[in-house]
Amino acid sequence: MDAIASISRRSFLVGSVAGAFSLGFDIPFARSQGTSAVREINAWVVVHPDDRVVIRIARSEMGQGTLTGLAQLVAEELECDWSRVSTEFPTPGQNVARGRVWRNFSTGGSRGIRESHEYVRQGGAAARAMLVSAAAKRWNVAEAECSTSNGVVSHAASGRRLRYGELAAEAATLEPPKDIKLKDVKDWKIAGKGVKRLDTAPKVDGTLVYGIDLRLPGMLTATIRDCPVQGGKLKGFDAAKVDRMPGVRKVVAVDGTAVAVIADSYWQARKALEALPVEWDMGPGAGTSSATIDAMLTEGLTAENVFIGTRVGDAKAAIAGAAKVVEAVYSYPYQNHATMEPMNATAIWTADRCEVWCPTQNGESALAAAAEAAELPVAKCDVHKAFLGGGFGRRGRSDYVRQAVLIARQMPGTPVKLVWSREEDMMHCAFHPVTKCKLTGALDASGKLVGLHMRISGQSILASLAPQGLQNGMDPVVFQGLNAGGTEGQFGYDVPNLLVDHAMRNTHVLAGFWRGVNLNHNAIYVECFMDELARAAGEDPLAFRRRYLKPKHRAVLDAAAERIGYGKPVPGRFHGVAQIMGFGSYVAAVAEVSVKEGQLKIHRIVAATDPGTVVNPAQIERQVAGSFVYGLSAALYGECTVKDGAIEQTNFDTYPVLRMDEMPHVETVLVPSGGFWGGVGEPTIGVAAPAVLNAIFAATGKRIRSLPVAKHDLRSA
């Protein structure tokens, strides 16, 4: 950062046009393009003369480990020395300029590795082939006679060896191979291993720079206040009341809904914004409350006009003829992403160029937002990704990027960092959608499950954020984990008569992609109700499930149950089980809890996951543990309520999260069955809540059908 502090504003502007800031915020491609000894072999691989290898990663790193996992895959095919590997982020602007050579910059839906593994591996394999070809040409031997290992090309017959650093210049001039053969997973040496993460050391020593840490020469800081009610507008403000406060440079309207103060520091901007008289038009959502939203959702549970997601057999007829009918209504509240790093972006705008530095989950979306706000062609804009202090789906939206550019346009040529306050961040999220679900199950005289109807009433994320993704008005995301088949989110039970439908009921409060998305509440609805059906049938919950579960679903549940010793807890402790399929992976969990005098203690959770292919087993274990932190926070405490159209929870004093002393011991069982690539970061969030809720019932006899758990009395029934 000292290097940045010494850059003049003029040299910064010139340099930012030529290149992008990367890890450490140096200009990433200056080394490969401006120094003849350092060569880009292809878009993915840069080799230094001293054999250091830089692997370019297009996806974002927000703590999930994608940076290391993707680098492992490239390095595996490259056959380089892993101890010499570092990474850098290309920019979306460079991606556009080079014909989208890095393809997708979006990081969400647990897709970082599972959707890009093939082409990033091809990048590593192609670079290796070019290095081998360069060595073979120099030695005048056949390429087939050469082998690679640990960053060296060898010719066994003659004993000759050349390091990658010695071959890079020649390799960079060669045509990439047309046919690329990838390694078999069984032959992996780097991928598939629990190597240390590449971003751990700079996080520990404090040298890693998040977006909120960025400092540029002459930079000003802005903070913003948007209308408290989503859909409302800014009527006016009295800038004269604050424009002479210390450090204040300008007070500006933003997009017709917000006002921002630009100042020398964040604190000066914030204090001025707090003192600024503002008048709002709260808009049509001002009369909405949690009670009115709940009434709307309740109406949807019996509505006639619905979207059908899954239909097998005739569920309604099976229910009408059942020996026993079991019915329950569950609900799930709005929840906030609550990233530890509030939304922020730094922008510098001139009439000819716009540059943005920000933590984003979707670099190309951020670039589009920046270009639109800048009113410049995409070719004259770029976005430089920083590490994310939490994403969870929130940073897939680029509203804060747009705001930063609009504000920077008020100060041409001057870098302006926009930082949202925690309160702004909490109130202007795109929240986990609010839903209710009515479940009706049919048991025959022998207690066999013969029919199931699930009616979901609630919001559509696509209707809120991406209506172009609706399919004849239906939102397919609603049915995550409830699909009759497919590889993404398949319903795990073989039920002869099944109906899953959706009454879409949207409010003025935006629904968004929240880590785990709709799988979270769908898993609760299915797995808690399966517990209810098991009790009604007089069966053990695990045994009941095993009668109907499809093989891969059953395999993960069995693995988790076996590891925890299901049915044999220590005295005073009780087990609850859950399984689901989402994001291409099969997952299950068994929770072990105790409840004493109404106080819940989650002692232990065993989670089993089958992602098909494992890239870094150590990282999967960390991802699973992290997903339970997030999932249990949501289950125990997460609820956003609405009053007069506005979200009431504005900070962590009213939106608590899981504390360290509440975190259970989490054990991960990996049962990869091979042949497919599933996600890891999100699926196990879905089983966190239902496993615990079912364990609470086992401990207390009380069935909790709405979250958060904290609002319920857990004393035994």
Side-chain angles (χ1 to χ4, degrees):
M1 297 310 295
D2 292 339
I4 292 177
S6 66
I7 300 175
S8 70
R9 185 174 301 165
R10 185 178 186 280
S11 64
F12 160 74
L13 279 169
V14 172
S16 66
V17 173
F21 283 6
S22 174
L23 302 189
F25 294 93
D26 58 337
I27 299 176
F29 301 161
R31 294 174 302 206
S32 54
Q33 296 172 352
T35 305
S36 59
V38 180
R39 293 293 177 159
E40 172 187 296
I41 309 302
N42 59 25
W44 304 98
V45 177
V46 175
V47 178
H48 288 247
D50 62 0
D51 301 327
R52 285 181 293 128
V53 173
V54 179
I55 296 175
R56 295 180 181 145
I57 305 296
R59 306 281 182 160
S60 299
E61 178 57 58
M62 48 191 156
Q64 81 281 32
T66 291
L67 187 82
T68 300
L70 289 173
Q72 281 180 265
L73 292 174
V74 175
E76 179 63 56
E77 299 292 342
L78 182 60
E79 289 270 6
C80 65
D81 181 350
W82 178 252
S83 69
R84 307 287 286 164
V85 168
S86 62
T87 60
E88 65 185 13
F89 295 130
T91 72
Q94 290 157 345
N95 198 38
V96 171
R98 296 181 64 170
R100 295 195 79 236
V101 65
W102 290 285
R103 305 197 195 184
N104 198 341
F105 272 59
S106 175
T107 310
S110 298
R111 292 188 177 95
I113 287 177
R114 68 185 173 115
E115 286 194 354
S116 59
H117 65 89
E118 184 173 12
Y119 60 80
V120 302
R121 291 160 67 202
Q122 289 173 343
R128 174 187 169 276
M130 293 161 74
L131 289 160
V132 168
S133 182
K137 289 180 186 299
R138 188 184 295 190
W139 293 327
N140 195 27
V141 300
E143 293 179 16
E145 297 176 18
C146 302
S147 62
T148 55
S149 179
N150 214 33
V152 174
V153 182
S154 301
H155 183 244
S158 65
R160 286 176 288 186
R161 292 159 50 89
L162 284 170
R163 296 178 293 103
Y164 283 3
E166 298 174 286
L167 293 166
E170 295 162 69
T173 66
L174 301 177
E175 285 292 319
K178 290 183 172 58
D179 297 318
I180 300 173
K181 183 178 180 181
L182 299 178
K183 287 185 179 182
D184 192 297
V185 172
K186 66 179 175 56
D187 297 323
W188 281 356
K189 302 172 185 175
I190 298 171
K193 304 296 187 293
V195 301
K196 294 180 180 178
R197 285 177 56 153
L198 297 173
D199 55 338
T200 298
K203 286 178 178 176
V204 171
D205 65 23
T207 57
L208 187 128
V209 177
Y210 292 89
I212 203 167
D213 301 322
L214 178 66
R215 298 194 305 273
L216 297 176
M219 185 178 74
L220 301 176
T221 302
T223 193
I224 196 166
R225 188 194 308 165
D226 212 323
C227 182
V229 179
Q230 292 183 351
K233 297 178 181 179
L234 174 69
K235 287 180 69 173
F237 56 89
D238 188 356
K241 297 290 186 180
V242 301
D243 59 10
R244 295 191 179 184
M245 290 181 67
V248 172
R249 299 296 187 96
K250 190 174 284 190
V251 183
V252 299
V254 183
D255 244 4
T257 69
V259 59
V261 174
I262 307 169
D264 293 337
S265 72
Y266 170 75
W267 191 246
Q268 290 170 331
R270 174 163 180 164
K271 296 305 289 183
L273 190 61
E274 289 174 352
L276 181 69
V278 182
E279 190 176 0
W280 306 104
D281 173 1
M282 296 298 184
T288 307
S289 67
S290 290
T292 62
I293 293 171
D294 185 72
M296 179 180 65
L297 299 183
T298 300
E299 176 274 326
L301 295 178
T302 55
E304 292 295 325
N305 295 321
V306 295
F307 296 105
I308 297 175
T310 301
R311 192 205 304 265
V312 178
D314 190 339
K316 291 186 178 180
I319 291 166
K324 180 183 287 188
V325 174
V326 182
E327 189 173 281
V329 174
Y330 284 77
S331 62
Y332 198 96
Y334 285 120
Q335 291 175 335
N336 199 296
H337 296 82
T339 64
M340 291 306 294
E341 178 191 20
M343 299 304 109
N344 67 89
T346 300
I348 184 166
W349 181 91
T350 69
D352 296 318
R353 185 75 183 171
C354 179
E355 302 277 327
V356 176
W357 292 259
C358 65
T360 174
Q361 289 181 243
N362 193 335
E364 290 177 306
S365 170
L367 175 61
E372 182 182 33
E375 296 186 12
L376 289 170
V378 168
K380 291 191 174 185
C381 302
D382 213 343
V383 171
H384 313 296
K385 293 194 303 179
F387 280 82
L388 284 62
F392 313 130
R394 175 59 183 93
R395 285 187 162 95
R397 292 182 66 218
S398 299
D399 49 339
Y400 59 102
V401 176
R402 174 179 173 81
Q403 289 178 346
V405 173
L406 291 174
I407 293 167
R409 288 184 64 177
Q410 306 298 315
M411 308 288 289
T414 300
V416 180
K417 180 198 290 184
L418 169 65
V419 180
W420 285 22
S421 67
R422 174 61 63 190
E423 290 74 15
E424 190 71 15
D425 197 84
M426 296 292 286
M427 293 182 69
H428 294 94
C429 182
F431 299 84
H432 190 296
V434 61
T435 64
K436 297 188 83 165
C437 184
K438 180 179 179 181
L439 300 105
T440 308
L443 301 174
D444 67 13
S446 66
K448 182 181 178 181
L449 178 61
V450 294
L452 175 63
H453 179 200
M454 290 182 62
R455 162 63 59 83
I456 300 170
S457 175
Q459 283 191 276
S460 157
I461 295 173
L462 293 185
S464 277
L465 301 183
Q468 69 275 12
L470 296 172
Q471 299 177 1
N472 296 319
M474 185 181 80
D475 183 351
V477 180
V478 166
F479 303 102
Q480 265 191 320
L482 306 176
N483 298 311
T487 59
E488 179 68 21
Q490 179 187 126
F491 188 69
Y493 297 94
D494 283 319
V495 180
N497 300 286
L498 174 67
L499 176 63
V500 184
D501 51 31
H502 175 221
M504 190 182 294
R505 295 294 183 270
N506 295 316
T507 77
H508 73 291
V509 179
L510 281 179
F513 293 98
W514 188 100
R515 187 181 181 192
V517 201
N518 291 59
L519 194 73
N520 298 323
H521 54 251
N522 289 345
I524 292 173
Y525 300 156
V526 171
E527 288 304 294
C528 288
F529 191 62
M530 281 294 169
D531 246 47
E532 296 203 43
L533 290 170
R535 307 287 177 178
E539 283 197 59
D540 171 80
L542 177 60
F544 182 81
R545 285 172 170 82
R546 294 191 80 257
R547 289 175 59 181
Y548 308 102
L549 279 173
K550 298 170 184 176
K552 288 186 184 293
H553 298 258
R554 185 168 59 246
V556 288
L557 186 57
D558 283 348
E562 181 180 359
R563 173 67 65 87
I564 205 168
Y566 178 82
K568 301 175 183 177
V570 299
R573 298 186 185 183
F574 300 85
H575 287 155
V577 305
Q579 68 77 41
I580 201 74
M581 186 215 182
F583 306 97
S585 291
Y586 304 83
V587 297
V590 183
E592 185 172 284
V593 312
S594 64
V595 182
K596 296 181 180 179
E597 298 180 353
Q599 296 300 307
L600 171 67
K601 176 67 176 178
I602 307 169
H603 298 276
R604 184 183 176 202
I605 293 179
V606 172
T609 180
D610 177 4
T613 306
V614 171
V615 174
N616 188 321
Q619 184 54 32
I620 290 178
E621 290 182 7
R622 299 180 191 115
Q623 280 270 55
V624 170
S627 71
F628 279 104
V629 176
Y630 206 67
L632 292 177
S633 282
L636 299 181
Y637 304 115
E639 180 183 35
C640 294
T641 54
V642 179
K643 182 180 180 181
D644 298 328
I647 295 295
E648 293 188 277
Q649 291 70 27
T650 60
N651 212 314
F652 288 119
D653 59 334
T654 50
Y655 193 81
V657 296
L658 198 73
R659 303 298 180 96
M660 284 188 178
D661 63 349
E662 297 174 297
M663 184 63 190
H665 175 65
V666 175
E667 298 173 45
T668 303
V669 182
L670 296 179
V671 285
S673 55
F676 64 96
W677 294 69
V680 173
E682 294 174 274
T684 46
I685 295 176
V687 290
V692 169
L693 293 175
N694 289 334
I696 290 172
F697 177 83
T700 66
K702 301 190 78 168
R703 184 67 68 182
I704 295 175
R705 298 191 179 97
S706 64
L707 296 183
V709 172
K711 70 181 183 182
H712 293 274
D713 182 354
L714 298 187
R715 286 172 291 190
S716 296

Coordinates of all heavy atoms in Angstrom, one line a residue, residues 35 67 82 168 173 180 200 211 220 240-241 248 273 319 324 329 342 346 386 395 449 453 501 507 553 578 646 651 656:
T35 N 7.5 -7.0 -19.3 CA 8.8 -7.5 -19.0 C 9.1 -8.7 -19.9 O 8.4 -9.7 -19.7 CB 9.0 -7.9 -17.5 OG1 8.6 -6.8 -16.7 CG2 10.4 -8.3 -17.2
L67 N -10.5 -19.7 -4.7 CA -9.2 -19.3 -5.2 C -8.2 -20.4 -5.2 O -7.5 -20.7 -6.2 CB -8.6 -18.1 -4.4 CG -7.4 -17.4 -4.9 CD1 -7.7 -16.4 -6.0 CD2 -6.6 -16.7 -3.8
W82 N 3.9 -26.6 -6.7 CA 2.8 -25.9 -6.0 C 3.4 -24.9 -5.0 O 2.8 -23.8 -4.8 CB 2.0 -26.9 -5.2 CG 0.9 -26.3 -4.4 CD1 0.8 -26.2 -3.0 CD2 -0.3 -25.7 -4.9 NE1 -0.3 -25.6 -2.7 CE2 -1.0 -25.2 -3.8 CE3 -0.8 -25.5 -6.2 CZ2 -2.3 -24.6 -3.9 CZ3 -2.0 -24.8 -6.3 CH2 -2.7 -24.4 -5.2
A168 N 9.7 -20.6 -20.8 CA 8.4 -19.8 -20.9 C 8.4 -18.9 -22.1 O 7.4 -18.8 -22.8 CB 8.2 -19.0 -19.6
T173 N 5.3 -18.4 -27.6 CA 5.2 -18.1 -29.0 C 4.5 -19.2 -29.8 O 4.2 -19.0 -30.9 CB 6.6 -17.9 -29.6 OG1 7.4 -19.1 -29.6 CG2 7.4 -16.8 -28.8
I180 N -6.8 -31.5 -26.2 CA -6.3 -31.5 -24.8 C -6.9 -32.7 -24.0 O -8.1 -32.8 -23.9 CB -6.6 -30.2 -24.1 CG1 -6.0 -29.0 -24.9 CG2 -6.1 -30.2 -22.7 CD1 -6.5 -27.6 -24.4
T200 N -4.4 -17.6 3.1 CA -4.4 -17.7 4.6 C -3.3 -16.7 5.2 O -3.6 -15.9 6.1 CB -4.2 -19.1 5.2 OG1 -5.3 -19.9 4.7 CG2 -4.2 -19.1 6.7
G211 N -11.9 -4.7 0.0 CA -12.3 -3.4 -0.7 C -12.4 -2.3 0.2 O -12.1 -1.1 -0.1
L220 N -11.4 10.6 -1.6 CA -12.4 11.1 -0.6 C -13.3 9.9 -0.3 O -13.3 8.9 -0.9 CB -13.2 12.2 -1.3 CG -12.5 13.5 -1.7 CD1 -13.4 14.4 -2.4 CD2 -11.8 14.1 -0.5
A240 N -27.4 23.0 3.1 CA -26.8 24.2 3.8 C -26.6 23.9 5.3 O -25.8 24.5 5.9 CB -27.7 25.4 3.6
K241 N -27.4 23.0 5.8 CA -27.2 22.7 7.3 C -25.9 21.9 7.6 O -25.5 21.9 8.8 CB -28.4 21.8 7.7 CG -29.8 22.5 7.6 CD -30.0 23.6 8.6 CE -31.4 24.2 8.6 NZ -31.6 25.3 9.5
V248 N -16.5 18.2 5.0 CA -17.5 18.0 4.0 C -17.2 18.6 2.7 O -16.8 19.8 2.6 CB -18.9 18.4 4.5 CG1 -19.9 18.4 3.4 CG2 -19.3 17.6 5.7
L273 N -24.0 13.3 7.5 CA -25.3 12.6 7.0 C -26.3 12.5 8.1 O -27.5 12.6 7.9 CB -24.9 11.3 6.4 CG -26.0 10.6 5.6 CD1 -26.5 11.4 4.4 CD2 -25.6 9.2 5.2
I319 N -54.6 -38.4 -1.0 CA -54.9 -37.8 0.3 C -56.4 -38.0 0.7 O -56.7 -38.3 1.8 CB -54.5 -36.3 0.3 CG1 -53.0 -36.1 0.3 CG2 -55.1 -35.5 1.5 CD1 -52.6 -34.7 -0.1
K324 N -54.9 -42.2 7.1 CA -54.6 -41.1 8.0 C -54.0 -40.0 7.3 O -53.1 -40.1 6.4 CB -53.6 -41.6 9.1 CG -53.2 -40.5 10.1 CD -52.1 -41.0 11.1 CE -52.7 -42.0 12.1 NZ -51.7 -42.3 13.2
V329 N -48.4 -26.5 9.0 CA -48.0 -25.3 8.3 C -46.7 -24.8 8.9 O -46.6 -24.6 10.1 CB -49.1 -24.2 8.4 CG1 -48.6 -22.9 7.8 CG2 -50.4 -24.7 7.7
P342 N -19.4 -4.2 5.3 CA -20.6 -3.6 4.6 C -20.3 -3.3 3.2 O -19.1 -3.3 2.7 CB -20.7 -2.3 5.4 CG -20.0 -2.5 6.7 CD -18.9 -3.4 6.4
T346 N -15.0 1.8 -4.6 CA -14.3 3.0 -4.9 C -14.3 3.2 -6.4 O -14.0 2.3 -7.2 CB -12.8 2.8 -4.4 OG1 -12.8 2.6 -3.0 CG2 -12.0 4.1 -4.7
A386 N -11.6 -7.0 -5.4 CA -10.9 -7.1 -4.2 C -11.4 -8.4 -3.5 O -12.4 -9.0 -3.9 CB -11.1 -5.9 -3.3
R395 N -23.4 -9.8 -2.6 CA -22.5 -9.0 -3.5 C -22.6 -9.5 -4.9 O -21.8 -9.2 -5.8 CB -21.1 -9.1 -3.0 CG -20.9 -8.1 -1.8 CD -19.4 -8.1 -1.4 NE -19.2 -6.9 -0.5 CZ -19.2 -6.9 0.8 NH1 -19.4 -8.0 1.4 NH2 -18.9 -5.8 1.5
L449 N -46.3 -44.1 3.5 CA -46.6 -42.8 2.9 C -47.0 -43.0 1.4 O -46.2 -43.5 0.6 CB -45.3 -42.0 2.9 CG -45.4 -40.6 2.3 CD1 -46.4 -39.7 3.0 CD2 -44.0 -39.9 2.4
H453 N -48.6 -33.5 -0.5 CA -48.8 -32.2 -1.2 C -48.1 -31.1 -0.4 O -48.3 -31.0 0.8 CB -50.3 -32.0 -1.3 CG -50.6 -30.7 -2.0 ND1 -51.8 -30.0 -1.8 CD2 -49.9 -29.9 -2.8 CE1 -51.9 -28.9 -2.5 NE2 -50.7 -28.8 -3.1
D501 N -46.4 -27.2 -5.3 CA -46.8 -26.0 -6.1 C -46.5 -24.8 -5.3 O -46.2 -24.8 -4.2 CB -48.3 -26.1 -6.5 CG -49.3 -26.5 -5.4 OD1 -49.0 -26.0 -4.2 OD2 -50.3 -27.1 -5.6
T507 N -43.9 -8.9 -2.2 CA -44.1 -7.7 -1.5 C -43.1 -6.6 -2.0 O -42.3 -6.9 -2.9 CB -43.8 -7.9 0.0 OG1 -42.4 -7.9 0.3 CG2 -44.4 -9.2 0.5
H553 N -29.1 -40.3 -1.7 CA -29.7 -39.6 -0.5 C -29.5 -40.4 0.7 O -29.1 -40.0 1.8 CB -31.2 -39.2 -0.7 CG -31.4 -38.3 -1.9 ND1 -31.7 -37.0 -1.7 CD2 -31.5 -38.5 -3.2 CE1 -31.9 -36.4 -2.9 NE2 -31.7 -37.4 -3.8
A578 N -31.6 -35.0 9.1 CA -32.1 -34.3 7.9 C -31.2 -34.6 6.7 O -30.0 -34.9 6.9 CB -32.2 -32.8 8.2
A646 N -40.7 -0.6 6.6 CA -39.2 -0.6 6.7 C -38.8 -1.8 7.6 O -39.5 -2.3 8.4 CB -38.7 0.7 7.4
N651 N -28.9 -3.4 13.1 CA -27.6 -3.7 13.5 C -27.5 -5.0 14.3 O -28.6 -5.6 14.5 CB -27.0 -2.6 14.4 CG -25.5 -2.4 14.1 OD1 -24.7 -3.4 14.1 ND2 -25.0 -1.2 14.0
P656 N -28.9 -10.6 16.0 CA -27.8 -11.4 16.6 C -27.4 -12.5 15.7 O -28.2 -13.1 14.9 CB -28.3 -11.8 18.0 CG -29.8 -11.9 17.8 CD -30.2 -10.8 16.9

